[in-house]
Amino acid sequence: MTQSASIRPARARGAFPTAAAIILGVGLGIFFDGIVLHQLLQWHHLVSNWSPAGTVEGMEFNTYWDGMLHSFAYVCVGLGLFLLWRASRRAGYMWSGRRLAGALLIGWGGFNLYDGVINHLVLGIHHVNERVDRAQWPIYDAGFIIWGAAMLLAGFLLLRGGKAEAGSEL
């Protein structure tokens, strides 16, 4: 006995490709961090607390590691786009702008939480704004972590709302 496509559950028809959008969100989050905080504002570099950028050698070292970070971001964006494209070619996927926005925010917010907690607090390889007095670094780091947590929470809420929306279409 087979069920018709119209009454099969969403998972059987092909759920939204959440993992692909999360990977894309990670890449977009890394690009935002690298472009805005590293390049435009020049508040820090990936390893600027380990190797200050005040010398030519230090700046070369930091630029290299910023490039490695951007290379990883490029891979995440490319992989996320490829996986979304591949899923778009399959029949029956449940596309939703709300779910896409939620998954992107989960990826971006997850990157911010990882970066803020691991790189800023645990490893201390850089802090959000190293141009201000050292006593203010924890304030910027806390703001970055809170921003990441807020994006992650908003992403989960949007994703959950998108799933409920898709479930009502069955």
Side-chain angles (χ1 to χ4, degrees), residues 22 27 32 38 46 53 72 74 77 90 105 123-124 138 140 156-157 164:
I22 289 173
F32 180 87
H38 296 209
L46 184 63
F72 178 68
Y74 196 82
V77 168
R90 294 183 185 151
L105 285 172
L123 298 176
Y140 283 90
F156 279 118
L157 293 174

Side-chain angles (χ1 to χ4, degrees), residues 20 77-88:
V77 168
L79 179 61
L81 286 173
F82 171 75
L83 293 173
L84 283 171
W85 172 81
R86 189 176 72 177
S88 75

Side-chain angles (χ1 to χ4, degrees), residues 105-141:
L105 285 172
I106 288 169
W108 189 335
F111 163 75
N112 275 19
L113 281 180
Y114 166 81
D115 189 33
V117 173
I118 301 301
N119 292 337
H120 301 182
L121 301 180
V122 176
L123 298 176
I125 64 174
H126 68 263
H127 297 276
V128 173
N129 189 349
E130 295 174 353
R131 293 181 155 238
V132 298
D133 184 74
R134 194 184 257 298
Q136 295 178 346
W137 290 6
I139 297 167
Y140 283 90
D141 288 343

Side-chain angles (χ1 to χ4, degrees), residues 15-170:
F16 179 78
T18 305
I22 289 173
I23 292 168
L24 179 59
V26 168
L28 294 175
I30 293 171
F31 274 137
F32 180 87
D33 181 80
I35 292 167
V36 174
L37 300 180
H38 296 209
Q39 295 172 335
L40 295 176
L41 296 174
Q42 298 179 18
W43 282 0
H44 71 268
H45 296 280
L46 184 63
V47 291
S48 55
N49 203 39
W50 283 358
S51 178
T55 66
V56 172
E57 294 82 15
M59 183 53 98
E60 287 174 346
F61 185 76
N62 278 282
T63 301
Y64 173 80
W65 284 104
D66 282 351
M68 294 299 286
L69 178 66
H70 286 140
S71 297
F72 178 68
Y74 196 82
V75 168
C76 288
V77 168
L79 179 61
L81 286 173
F82 171 75
L83 293 173
L84 283 171
W85 172 81
R86 189 176 72 177
S88 75
R89 300 181 52 81
R90 294 183 185 151
Y93 264 83
M94 301 299 296
W95 292 99
S96 161
R98 183 178 291 182
R99 293 169 87 177
L100 176 62
L104 290 173
L105 285 172
I106 288 169
W108 189 335
F111 163 75
N112 275 19
L113 281 180
Y114 166 81
D115 189 33
V117 173
I118 301 301
N119 292 337
H120 301 182
L121 301 180
V122 176
L123 298 176
I125 64 174
H126 68 263
H127 297 276
V128 173
N129 189 349
E130 295 174 353
R131 293 181 155 238
V132 298
D133 184 74
R134 194 184 257 298
Q136 295 178 346
W137 290 6
I139 297 167
Y140 283 90
D141 288 343
F144 188 79
I145 292 168
I146 291 167
W147 178 34
M151 285 194 295
L152 194 61
L153 177 62
F156 279 118
L157 293 174
L158 282 169
L159 192 62
R160 191 174 79 190
K163 285 180 182 177
E165 188 178 82
S168 68
E169 295 171 1
L170 296 178

